[in-house]
Amino acid sequence: MEQQYILAMDQGTTSSRAIIFDRDRNIISIAQKEFTQIFPKPGWVEHDPHEIWSTQAGVTAEATTKAGLNGKNIAAIGITNQRETIVVWEKESGKPVYNAIVWQDKRTADYCDELRQSGKHKMIQEKTGLILDPYFSATKIKWILDNVEGAREKATNGELICGTIDTWLVWNLTRGDVHITDVTNASRSLLFNIHTMDWDAELLDLFKIPATMLPQVKESSEIYGESRTTIFAHKVKIAGIAGDQQAALFGQQCIEKGMVKNTYGTGCFMLMNIGDKPIMSKNNLLTTVAWKINGKTEYALEGSIFIGGALVQWLRDNLNVINRSADVEQLALSEKDNGGVTFIPTFAGLGAPYWNARAQGTLFGLTRATTNGHIARASLEAISLQTRDVLKAMEADSGIPIKELRVDGGATANNLLMQIQANVLNSQVVRPKITETTALGAAYLAGLAVGFWKNEEEISKFWAQDRVFEPEKEQEEQTRQIIKQWTKGIKALQFWTEN
């Protein structure tokens, strides 16, 4: 029998990737392609659904060819995706009626304010575990139905369907044969009741979304169907799905209650495994489904930071102070401190634990002596300090002091960022040997469903640390000053937004 592999499709906010893993979770092949970010108006963010599919199909074919494989060698496909981003398309033709509206998009902020003023936010949080915010999918679907000519009529007639990006990929992989999502993506929609584990009729009625549009909700690890595209010479089972942050939690093997990971991608997302019962946050965090495997649901507390690695891209593309994202570390090291600069990078509003959709990016403390190095250092501190705010809220909600933070994502290669993170948290920051934990989590979920790996116990033995960053005692005073500046800056920004 030919050796078998698992293919992970990792469809992110700025790029589509495909990674092939062997049984010992070595990366055999990887391919990646960025796609267009569309900004029609300030605060609006869109993607072309066709480009998402074509780039994902393209990198999948590239990774498979590079590895010299065909469909026969691939035991299963696992999918992980940018969450909350929504596509609405015609059931018969498969043609989207509008661009994908991205999780960062803020066009429904006024509508969210109206719902909040009418007191609906409490009922929404009780059922979904989510804070009412433009971030989530339901208000985006409603916007498309209300603003695209003929869309609401078609939806009422059962002619339109919708889904998050996992749903869109599976639909295209199976040529319209399978319309499903998994519990993790469903739990980010504002339409899914995390207690009954099903779409909620009262929420569908509130957002005026016909139930016929929605995909069937499946577990995170089961066989959903087989590929019917020309990417592979043979049919391949599609067997694992999780939203990117839940996939990273599983890839990091945070499978015990109280374990925490933070992913540094376009945004930063911290999740804590809270076990098999949902805890409703009193500190503006989200309660979300971590995964469902073999009939058992696990939950997580989550803090979402909208701008993380995207801040480094902004320094590169908008300010042109670096040529490559990786150059930010050396630029930040050119100065011994931030020179009094505090950067609050709220380009897409403030996420957890503040939830201010109208907050805009702000630089405090600029003088004639300010250099690009100061701004670069303040940028890395901003990523770390946003993470600290979330971690403190998580400790308060769970009653568990967090002594170790497992980290993953592209920005974890930046040693200075990881050291600053350890300093401001005053706890260990642990980087694993494999930082591709999002794709790995999707691979694990798919592999478990088809028996590629026997059980979770076998998988847990794979996790290995690369480096542990300890808080630096000699930096304590500087760290205290950074935190103090940040707290002042947040208060000033909130005041600016309100007035």
Side-chain angles (χ1 to χ4, degrees):
M1 186 178 167
E2 290 181 90
Q3 188 167 351
Q4 296 284 291
Y5 302 90
I6 296 285
L7 169 69
M9 291 185 175
D10 182 358
Q11 205 300 303
T13 308
T14 56
S15 71
S16 296
R17 303 192 313 149
I19 304 179
I20 296 173
F21 296 95
D22 69 10
R23 207 174 294 276
D24 296 321
R25 51 128 219 190
N26 297 310
I27 293 174
I28 301 303
S29 176
I30 186 166
Q32 178 169 354
K33 188 170 176 57
E34 289 194 3
F35 56 87
T36 313
Q37 306 295 304
I38 303 164
F39 307 104
K41 292 183 184 178
W44 290 30
V45 191
E46 296 176 4
H47 294 153
D48 177 350
H50 291 301
E51 193 181 3
I52 285 177
W53 167 242
S54 66
T55 54
Q56 191 61 64
V59 293
T60 300
E62 185 186 336
T64 308
T65 305
K66 268 204 286 197
L69 304 177
N70 60 38
K72 260 188 182 172
N73 302 98
I74 299 169
I77 297 167
I79 294 173
T80 182
N81 56 286
Q82 52 165 318
R83 304 170 305 169
E84 298 92 22
T85 298
I86 200 79
V87 185
V88 176
W89 67 96
E90 293 174 353
K91 192 174 182 178
E92 287 304 313
S93 69
K95 183 184 172 189
V97 300
Y98 190 78
N99 276 338
I101 301 183
V102 180
W103 57 272
Q104 297 161 317
D105 190 280
K106 296 295 169 192
R107 76 187 67 188
T108 59
D110 289 343
Y111 173 60
C112 288
D113 285 347
E114 286 170 30
L115 286 178
R116 202 172 287 108
Q117 281 154 17
S118 66
K120 298 293 185 189
H121 60 293
K122 289 177 184 167
M123 178 269 286
I124 290 168
Q125 186 173 12
E126 281 165 13
K127 286 173 179 275
T128 68
L130 305 177
I131 306 282
L132 178 60
D133 191 83
Y135 175 30
F136 304 106
S137 309
T139 63
K140 304 177 197 300
I141 301 169
K142 183 181 185 296
W143 188 92
I144 290 173
L145 297 183
D146 289 344
N147 290 277
V148 174
E149 194 176 344
R152 184 160 290 286
E153 186 185 351
K154 283 183 179 176
T156 306
N157 294 338
E159 295 168 36
L160 297 186
I161 56 176
C162 69
T164 39
I165 298 302
D166 58 307
T167 305
W168 175 242
L169 293 180
V170 173
W171 172 269
N172 282 284
L173 271 169
T174 62
R175 293 191 169 175
D177 201 33
V178 179
H179 183 222
I180 57 110
T181 189
D182 91 299
V183 290
T184 69
N185 282 290
S187 76
R188 312 296 297 186
S189 62
L190 288 180
L191 301 171
F192 188 77
N193 188 316
I194 63 170
H195 308 282
T196 64
M197 294 299 285
D198 208 347
W199 301 120
D200 190 278
E202 189 179 1
L203 293 170
L204 288 169
D205 186 53
L206 174 67
F207 292 107
K208 297 183 174 58
I209 295 169
T212 51
M213 292 183 73
L214 297 172
Q216 187 182 357
V217 183
K218 298 283 196 175
E219 295 195 4
S220 312
S221 179
E222 64 172 289
I223 298 167
Y224 314 113
E226 292 182 328
S227 65
R228 294 178 59 192
T229 66
T230 54
I231 300 171
F232 311 106
H234 301 268
K235 289 179 179 176
V236 182
K237 291 182 176 71
I238 307 160
I241 297 175
D244 51 11
Q245 303 315 317
Q246 288 95 331
L249 190 71
F250 197 72
Q252 282 276 33
Q253 283 300 282
C254 293
I255 54 176
E256 301 293 330
K257 189 175 175 180
M259 294 180 79
V260 186
K261 73 89 200 171
N262 195 35
T263 298
Y264 299 76
T266 302
C268 290
F269 299 87
M270 187 185 291
L271 272 74
M272 172 192 270
N273 186 324
I274 55 171
D276 59 4
K277 290 184 177 59
I279 297 169
M280 289 297 129
S281 174
K282 294 181 173 66
N283 293 279
N284 288 329
L285 298 180
L286 311 175
T287 306
T288 198
V289 177
W291 49 74
K292 185 178 181 183
I293 302 171
N294 296 328
K296 187 186 177 192
T297 304
E298 300 267 338
Y299 295 90
L301 279 175
E302 174 175 336
S304 312
I305 296 161
F306 299 145
I307 299 294
L311 175 53
V312 178
Q313 289 176 329
W314 183 80
L315 294 176
R316 181 193 69 193
D317 300 339
N318 294 53
L319 294 194
N320 300 313
V321 298
I322 49 174
N323 294 319
R324 300 174 308 129
S325 295
D327 297 339
V328 73
E329 184 172 6
Q330 282 310 117
L331 181 58
L333 284 166
S334 69
E335 298 291 352
K336 67 180 189 301
D337 56 34
N338 62 24
V341 176
T342 297
F343 194 172
I344 303 181
T346 43
F347 303 146
L350 259 176
Y354 305 104
W355 296 102
N356 183 336
R358 289 189 169 77
Q360 294 174 313
T362 312
L363 271 164
F364 293 100
L366 299 182
T367 69
R368 285 287 298 273
T370 300
T371 66
N372 288 341
H374 291 133
I375 292 171
R377 188 172 273 268
S379 299
L380 298 185
E381 289 168 355
I383 295 168
S384 304
L385 288 157
Q386 290 178 99
T387 299
R388 180 183 182 274
D389 289 348
V390 171
L391 184 132
K392 292 298 169 193
M394 211 165 264
E395 286 184 328
D397 273 338
S398 66
I400 301 169
I402 298 165
K403 298 296 179 198
E404 175 189 285
L405 179 67
R406 292 187 174 185
V407 298
D408 56 78
T412 58
N414 186 321
N415 290 330
L416 177 59
L417 172 61
M418 294 298 97
Q419 188 56 63
I420 293 169
Q421 188 68 86
N423 291 350
V424 301
L425 294 182
N426 196 30
S427 67
Q428 284 188 344
V429 170
V430 184
R431 183 170 65 199
K433 279 193 174 160
I434 291 186
T435 55
E436 295 289 357
T437 51
T438 304
L440 190 58
Y444 283 160
L445 291 167
L448 285 171
V450 298
F452 187 80
W453 291 293
K454 283 196 296 255
N455 49 39
E456 289 178 55
E457 191 182 3
E458 181 185 353
I459 286 170
S460 66
K461 290 172 184 167
F462 288 139
W463 192 86
Q465 66 185 34
D466 167 53
R467 182 169 168 186
V468 179
F469 295 85
E470 301 278 359
E472 295 171 317
K473 290 269 183 264
E474 65 275 15
Q475 293 296 319
E476 279 181 359
E477 184 50 47
Q478 187 176 317
T479 300
R480 263 196 297 273
Q481 194 57 35
I482 292 166
I483 293 167
K484 189 177 169 187
Q485 283 176 215
W486 175 261
T487 307
K488 260 170 65 179
I490 289 284
K491 284 178 184 168
L493 178 58
Q494 297 276 51
F495 179 81
W496 171 271
T497 309
E498 287 160 16
N499 295 275

